[in-house]
Amino acid sequence: GLNQLYSLKYGTIPIVRATGGLKDSVQEKNGFVFEAFEAPELLAAIDRALALFRKKNQWQRLVRAAMAADYSWNRSAREYLKLYRDLL
């Protein structure tokens, strides 16, 4: 899905399970991640989010970092081009 990318772009910090594209695009530096598909893990991620939300300055830094991330096709194309050039 793309929902996590929309969340990041608009500063609505995601809480995600580390799987598939979610794992690739959301890390603890721009959201909140839990590994196991278990309620205690989700609750721990929610608790981390709420704890940081109470620290307004740190929360704002997280929001700005999330909104500044570049997940565009232009960035991906540049990375592929660099990879291809490195292989030559």
Side-chain angles (χ1 to χ4, degrees), residues 30-68:
N30 63 0
F32 298 91
V33 181
F34 62 99
E35 293 287 332
F37 188 60
E38 299 174 4
E41 292 243 356
L42 171 59
L43 184 57
I46 293 170
D47 287 342
R48 290 194 312 275
L50 291 172
L52 191 65
F53 183 75
R54 291 183 193 103
K55 301 173 183 175
K56 296 301 179 190
N57 289 337
Q58 290 179 25
W59 183 263
Q60 287 302 314
R61 279 195 296 274
L62 176 67
V63 169
R64 283 192 295 274
M67 293 175 75

